[in-house]
Amino acid sequence: MVDIATRVYNHKWKIDPIVRSLIDTDFYKLLMCQSVFRNRPDTQVTFSLINRTTRIPLARLIDEGELREQLDHIRTLRLRRGESTWMRGNTFYGKRQMFSPAFMEWFENLQLPPYHLERVGDQYELTFEGAWPEVMLWEIPALAVLMELRGRAVLSTMGKFELQILYARAMTKLWEKIERLKPIDGLRVADFGTRRRHSFLWQDWCVQAMQEGLGDAFPGTSNCLIAKNRDLEAIGTNAHELPMVYAALAESDEALAAAPYDVLSDWHEEHSGNLRVILPDTYGTEGFLQNAPDWLTEWTGIRIDSGDPAKGAEIAINWWKSRGEDPREKLVIFSDGLDVAKIEELHAQFAGRVRVSFGWGTLLTNDFRGLVADDALAPFSLVCKAVSANGRATVKLSDNPEKAMGPESEIERYKRVFGVGEQERLEVVV
Amino acid sequence: MVDIATRVYNHKWKIDPIVRSLIDTDFYKLLMCQSVFRNRPDTQVTFSLINRTTRIPLARLIDEGELREQLDHIRTLRLRRGESTWMRGNTFYGKRQMFSPAFMEWFENLQLPPYHLERVGDQYELTFEGAWPEVMLWEIPALAVLMELRGRAVLSTMGKFELQILYARAMTKLWEKIERLKPIDGLRVADFGTRRRHSFLWQDWCVQAMQEGLGDAFPGTSNCLIAKNRDLEAIGTNAHELPMVYAALAESDEALAAAPYDVLSDWHEEHSGNLRVILPDTYGTEGFLQNAPDWLTEWTGIRIDSGDPAKGAEIAINWWKSRGEDPREKLVIFSDGLDVAKIEELHAQFAGRVRVSFGWGTLLTNDFRGLVADDALAPFSLVCKAVSANGRATVKLSDNPEKAMGPESEIERYKRVFGVGEQERLEVVV
């Protein structure tokens, strides 16, 4: 039987929205948003889209009108009652009422601020300006919209069967990855793939496949909407934007050197247990750990998000040892450019030496490499970053100079302040 | 939206029928049925299921109760008005009113005769007895039921995602075959895969994929129901059962030697053009052609259904030449155990020398080889054949002794009468 009601309902769509909920975003965005809302609510920031894969001419692939429609649609979204209930009532990482009443009240009344969009050559300049807690929530939906619109442009040229085979191949590809992961004893792999996913529906499928295929080895997803709909754990802690903005606000070199620890000091007060995970690479992992205050050694783990991950993990292990901690009780979360082979390799190398966990991103939710002609659906390296705070440029160094960003002179200053020397340059795939 | 009506309707199913229409069968069955109805309506025949792949323990895999339910369901089927209209009103091979009013009236009132089912060890004995025009219509649905029940038994052990991936892989596998066939200039490949299909829905998908992928290179399907539903040509001519039964009825060696030509003499009166296709291998192709009457040389083509197909085609070409015919105007239809590599090879070898066409069967509609553990869904060689006529055993020799059937003494007599010597033994895959 034809479901006439659904067909007629579909006729009414003006657009097919890509982002349909304010919580179709990474869990750590909401955690960080609350922290910013509490500690730095008035900071004025600018976030900007950065296409690190410049050979992808986004403005030629994506129609500006469609892009505006999708972004405008996101500005019409408000937190729904059920979403608010889920955030207020849920137990996250074993903690009730993680989100305070004050934050929830603010969030329930939030509309995302305006965007600025301009075509410059074959790329788009897309920026968001305003109060940090509002602007920061644009990052994930903006990226998801651009990735999915680019995909839709390619898919619109394909026939019905070509589409069916495309998804058949993509499903098979992911399932074969999951089958490789299944036998790994003690594995934990979460979905971190919201921002550069192929599409919402595809991410939702990937999450279900992980759930069915890996069972308990799949602890959950970073995507709050999918976590809510599928009754899964929402996963995540914090990201580079906190130290980047705190650092930009520092009034002196001394304050700059202290900024990354100030971030975690605020975090330390707000969170415990598995939420106390250090992201040490913003201005170089080695220096960060050497100069870290003692209270940081008690934290649960370290997330490794740039540079050679095995090297990063060894540095973390040695640091814990040097501070008298037992690494076997500590958590290492790998989250940079992972795919199955790398997960297998890192798990084999570190399981037993530390508690190992993986945040699998783009190559979980968007591995359409090799599936269409000219690899037109391959994921690419698109980010949306805080580029300034209260009028000052932000800087990120990371453990891979390919991921560094900020004005050249400021990069030099940061390198000096944080004692970052020569770094290994690694290709950024996604 | 949930389509509640469909869900509730599905709740009511006592069984999920495999064969839902009397025209869910091969077109040539209906052509032959009309010929038998006109020429030999009173012949009493027995058809019997023969599992040539004895390592597949059908009676252990398929529940007898479920098998009976499916067969009983087929006996409840009657020709529907729309099916009758399609048969009466359609143009088949350019001819209107191919099915006579008398035949249609008979068919509209037909119920398939009873079946006899008994478990013997790990196999089923399944036989059908009665008037030839009625009994012969059991062959295709009986095979389709057994193949699909065996598949369902395997599928019932699989999870939702495993099933999705299974079909994703099967779709990808077929699409890759179609993509290999696409560039072949002048190709013609029809679907001959009803009897040993994985399932009805899967055959229907395969047909649509062929239609979308090959366009005009896909002339149609042997399945009447799918041809009707998808507005395609129904394809087919005649099969071994005609000479096998005519031969069994022969009263002397002379009459036996003439029987295969008697079949085609009856056919010659009833059909013209592309329906005049010789199936020469029942009692050996070489002898059949050597002794063929002159009027057979005018026929449109030859179907090659056993033995080495390239050798068979060369024999056909030489025969046409020896009789003064131009092979380039003649049709060769290959239909035995085809898969893509063989189609490519035969097309390359014979295109231009004759008009080449392919009837692609089991490895089009049931190539689930290698997709599940223990290859439990791989197709196998199941047939349902006329084993006796008016109390006398039938015999088939074919061009491959692996496909021969009948009592040993009768096989020897047939070999003598038809002058069949040493034959090459070829493995029967499907």
Side-chain angles (χ1 to χ4, degrees), chain A residues 298-412:
Chain A
E298 296 162 24
W299 275 38
T300 308
I302 289 181
R303 179 158 75 93
I304 294 176
D305 200 46
S306 64
D308 175 349
K311 213 150 101 185
E314 295 293 355
I315 291 169
I317 288 169
N318 288 334
W319 177 68
W320 279 312
K321 283 185 183 164
S322 75
R323 299 284 182 113
E325 298 284 328
D326 182 353
R328 288 171 303 179
E329 290 170 11
K330 297 294 186 180
L331 182 66
V332 167
I333 302 174
F334 296 102
S335 64
D336 183 31
L338 294 174
D339 204 0
V340 169
K342 186 54 85 177
I343 292 173
E344 288 172 331
E345 180 190 321
L346 290 170
H347 186 88
Q349 198 171 346
F350 293 102
R353 299 177 58 202
V354 287
R355 290 160 49 209
V356 178
S357 188
F358 298 91
W360 194 8
T362 309
L363 296 179
L364 166 60
T365 61
N366 197 0
D367 191 1
F368 280 64
R369 292 175 301 179
L371 298 184
V372 297
D374 303 326
D375 225 355
L377 286 177
F380 59 100
S381 191
L382 191 69
V383 296
C384 181
K385 291 284 185 189
V387 292
S388 74
N390 288 353
R392 296 177 187 174
T394 65
V395 170
K396 182 184 172 189
L397 300 178
S398 103
D399 288 332
N400 178 3
E402 286 288 320
K403 284 186 160 185
M405 50 170 287
E408 204 52 53
S409 63
E410 285 296 294
I411 289 182
E412 289 313 310

Side-chain angles (χ1 to χ4, degrees), chain B residues 347-400:
Chain B
H347 186 88
Q349 198 171 345
F350 292 102
R353 298 177 58 202
V354 287
R355 289 161 48 211
V356 178
S357 190
F358 297 91
W360 193 9
T362 309
L363 296 180
L364 166 60
T365 62
N366 197 0
D367 191 1
F368 280 64
R369 293 175 300 179
L371 298 185
V372 297
D374 303 325
D375 225 355
L377 286 177
F380 59 101
S381 191
L382 191 68
V383 296
C384 181
K385 291 283 184 190
V387 291
S388 75
N390 288 351
R392 296 176 187 177
T394 64
V395 169
K396 182 184 171 189
L397 299 179
S398 103
D399 289 332
N400 178 4

Side-chain angles (χ1 to χ4, degrees), chain B residues 261 288-297 319 323:
Chain B
Y261 308 110
F288 176 90
L289 293 178
Q290 269 164 30
N291 303 321
D294 276 339
W295 53 265
L296 261 180
T297 61
W319 177 67
R323 301 281 181 114

